[in-house]
Amino acid sequence: MEAIICFSGDMESTTLATMYLKSGYSISLLSFDYGQRRRDRELQSASDVANYLSALNIASVSHRIVDLSCFGKLIACSTLVDTDLKVPDSGGRDAADPVRVMSVPNRNAIIGHIAISLGSRTEADVVAMGMNADDHAEYSDCRPEFVKALRQSMTHALKGFHTPRLETPFLRKSKTEIAEVGVSLRAPLELSWACNRGGIMHCGTCGTCIIRKETFKNAALTDPTEYLA
């Protein structure tokens, strides 16, 4: 069995990859360079997690990075891809329109279809994505309606070709629940990355760092992350 994992190296995708690997799947981890501000640190974390999982010798683990850097340059629309914009300490949560501060529109549709195309070519059983319930309010491409539409789209696009299953196991789980799953699976959450600033260490004050702190606190779990603040 093979699973293609959309893989940023964050807590959710690290837990997702570990879950499929320990369920007996060979996993192909697919990371994306879309010109994100935290590109170097995020992709390094993804590589570190991939190497860790590969060293477990449970099943085959591969890791690819897809170059979509032109995408970010075309749409430079938020702090995640526009380095001329300052990352607020609140992460944009207190902004008049936090979605425009933090979101990259249509990102999951693009990376999802690329992963689906690869899954069709390799005749993978599953393409898995790590959307979760805590992101529904702010990100339209993390909602159940989007996943339903993506399934419909891939069914039409791949008619006559191998069509993998699209699975989103965390779609209705909170980040706190995902952290609990990750710890129970002994996923290498200490290697995962969240910080939007993308420095050597998590800054501790941007939106994703604040959410990460809250996640482990709410789960009553030890946070393995080192923060600057």
Side-chain angles (χ1 to χ4, degrees):
M1 299 186 295
E2 181 190 6
I4 309 289
I5 313 289
C6 292
F7 187 68
S8 68
D10 63 3
M11 181 189 73
E12 294 87 359
S13 62
T14 295
T15 300
L16 191 69
T18 305
M19 183 176 73
Y20 276 93
L21 181 66
K22 292 192 174 182
S23 295
Y25 286 83
S26 295
I27 57 173
S28 296
L29 307 176
L30 207 58
S31 300
F32 296 86
D33 172 5
Y34 56 91
Q36 61 269 49
R37 179 191 298 265
R38 61 190 186 189
R39 172 196 177 279
D40 291 344
R41 190 59 186 82
E42 177 181 304
L43 295 178
Q44 180 60 56
S45 180
S47 177
D48 290 343
V49 173
N51 289 337
Y52 177 95
L53 294 177
S54 180
L56 294 177
N57 291 318
I58 296 174
S60 172
V61 177
S62 66
H63 182 217
R64 297 180 177 92
I65 297 174
V66 178
D67 183 3
L68 293 178
S69 54
C70 61
F71 173 60
K73 293 175 183 176
L74 285 172
I75 64 159
C77 57
S78 77
T79 59
L80 293 185
V81 291
D82 190 343
T83 55
D84 289 333
L85 298 176
K86 181 180 178 182
V87 178
D89 279 344
S90 67
R93 293 161 123 195
D94 300 328
D97 190 352
V99 173
R100 291 191 178 275
V101 173
M102 300 173 66
S103 181
V104 178
N106 209 38
R107 176 179 57 183
N108 281 342
I110 292 170
I111 68 176
H113 274 296
I114 291 172
I116 289 163
S117 294
L118 176 62
S120 179
R121 182 183 68 79
T122 64
E123 298 190 348
D125 299 276
V126 172
V127 169
M129 303 180 74
M131 297 90 150
N132 63 88
D134 285 343
D135 287 340
H136 291 177
E138 293 180 344
Y139 305 110
S140 59
D141 60 355
C142 290
R143 297 171 187 163
E145 297 86 353
F146 168 78
V147 175
K148 180 180 179 180
L150 185 58
R151 285 198 179 102
Q152 291 173 336
S153 176
M154 65 185 279
T155 298
H156 291 293
L158 293 176
K159 190 172 183 178
F161 296 89
H162 174 78
T163 304
R165 297 189 309 277
L166 176 63
E167 296 186 351
T168 54
F170 302 150
L171 187 62
R172 301 190 185 278
K173 289 185 180 294
S174 68
K175 291 180 186 290
T176 296
E177 292 174 305
I178 296 168
E180 292 170 343
V181 172
V183 169
S184 70
L185 290 172
R186 297 184 179 179
L189 301 184
E190 70 280 1
L191 299 178
S192 65
W193 188 259
C195 182
N196 279 337
R197 291 193 166 98
I200 297 174
M201 291 173 57
H202 284 77
C203 72
T205 59
C206 73
T208 51
C209 281
I210 292 169
I211 291 170
R212 187 178 176 98
K213 288 179 177 180
E214 292 174 349
T215 293
F216 284 100
K217 181 179 179 180
N218 292 339
L221 296 170
T222 300
D223 187 346
T225 315
E226 289 187 80
Y227 300 99
L228 289 172

